Amino acid sequence: AQRVTQPEKLLSVFKGAPVELKCNYSYSGSPELFWYVQYSRQRLQLLLRHISRESIKGFTADLNKGETSFHLKKPFAQEEDSAMYYCALKGTGFQKLVFGTGTRLLVSP
Amino acid sequence: KAGVTQTPRYLIKTRGQQVTLSCSPISGHRSVSWYQQTPGQGLQFLFEYFSETQRNKGNFPGRFSGRQFSNSRSEMNVSTLELGDSALYLCASGYQQGYEQYFGPGTRLTVT
């Protein structure tokens, strides 16, 4: 069964501090991992996906198959990064997208 | 391109009633997925449709059903509403299954 765990409900940091949002997954095959973000009063939107290996808004995430993790990182947090972040996993083939419970990131000035 | 639209945006129903929610995907998108979002359970997958066929189903009772029309628009229906069905119902569309999903604003359902 596919499972995504985000252990932190809330992560509070100061502007300019490094940020790491944790995501661990459980899946026996080769998963596709995503990070979605929901800013206040906005729709849920895709932030990045592991296969594209992009850096979006300064965020990066590396898939670590050994540790079954896909942590989201940013070296210097900005106030506009405050939002709800969801890690999601899709199995091989036409499998459903499974979301973690989300982590609220709060960046204070 | 217009984004995913969902109607209605807000709905208040009484226990035992039924409700139908509608989702219009982005033009050209053929995959539509539905999710239930609650503070306690987070985002839970309901079902996914592609080319009018249900391709995936989540772990929800049979009271939850859906369908997709030939124009890719989708509806979901919840019968015999329970208080626990109060949630934000999100619809997402994608070009195909497995592609990036674009989310709608959601329908806030309150069951009293």
Side-chain angles (χ1 to χ4, degrees):
Chain A
Q2 302 161 230
R3 185 176 297 164
V4 177
T5 303
Q6 292 180 254
E8 303 140 327
K9 284 191 175 181
L10 172 67
L11 185 62
S12 187
V13 302
F14 288 105
K15 177 183 172 181
V19 168
E20 182 178 66
L21 298 163
K22 293 188 181 347
C23 172
N24 289 91
Y25 67 89
S26 173
Y27 183 66
S28 56
S30 293
E32 193 169 348
L33 274 299
F34 306 82
W35 276 99
Y36 279 80
V37 61
Q38 189 168 29
Y39 300 103
S40 180
R41 296 189 183 84
Q42 292 189 28
R43 305 179 182 202
L44 194 62
Q45 57 186 288
L46 179 67
L47 181 62
L48 53 80
R49 57 198 307 174
H50 89 270
I51 59 170
S52 59
R53 293 181 168 272
E54 295 176 296
S55 172
I56 306 293
K57 299 184 179 183
F59 284 97
T60 59
D62 291 317
L63 178 60
N64 186 323
K65 291 188 177 181
E67 296 182 359
T68 60
S69 68
F70 187 57
H71 303 327
L72 184 68
K73 300 177 185 179
K74 185 169 183 176
F76 307 104
Q78 303 299 313
E79 289 180 67
E80 55 265 30
D81 295 329
S82 295
M84 195 73 179
Y85 291 81
Y86 293 92
C87 182
L89 175 154
K90 192 183 83 66
T92 52
F94 298 123
Q95 299 259 0
K96 63 187 179 186
L97 194 61
V98 175
F99 283 86
T101 50
T103 298
R104 180 167 299 282
L105 174 64
L106 183 60
V107 183
S108 304
Chain B
K1 261 186 188 178
V4 177
T5 58
Q6 292 187 244
T7 56
R9 293 293 311 279
Y10 302 91
L11 207 47
I12 299 175
K13 289 286 188 179
T14 307
R15 264 185 307 176
Q17 288 186 313
Q18 75 163 16
V19 67
T20 299
L21 312 181
S22 181
C23 171
S24 292
I26 291 171
S27 177
H29 285 189
R30 295 165 61 193
S31 169
V32 173
S33 298
W34 288 89
Y35 298 85
Q36 183 194 65
Q37 187 176 27
T38 58
Q41 300 294 320
L43 275 158
Q44 291 190 288
F45 174 80
L46 279 156
F47 21 68
E48 178 182 19
Y49 287 87
F50 181 77
S51 292
E52 302 178 65
T53 303
Q54 188 180 89
R55 300 301 177 112
N56 280 303
K57 190 176 190 309
N59 298 322
F60 278 81
R63 300 185 296 108
F64 291 81
S65 63
R67 58 178 174 168
Q68 186 180 34
F69 302 96
S70 58
N71 61 359
S72 294
R73 191 177 69 84
S74 177
E75 288 182 348
M76 68 162 280
N77 184 278
V78 187
S79 62
T80 320
L81 283 165
E82 300 177 0
L83 294 179
D85 297 334
S86 294
L88 182 67
Y89 289 88
L90 294 172
C91 164
S93 76
Y95 182 64
Q96 286 192 26
Q97 282 185 286
Y99 278 52
E100 177 180 347
Q101 294 192 14
Y102 294 82
F103 282 81
T107 294
R108 171 78 59 189
L109 172 64
T110 301
V111 183
T112 61

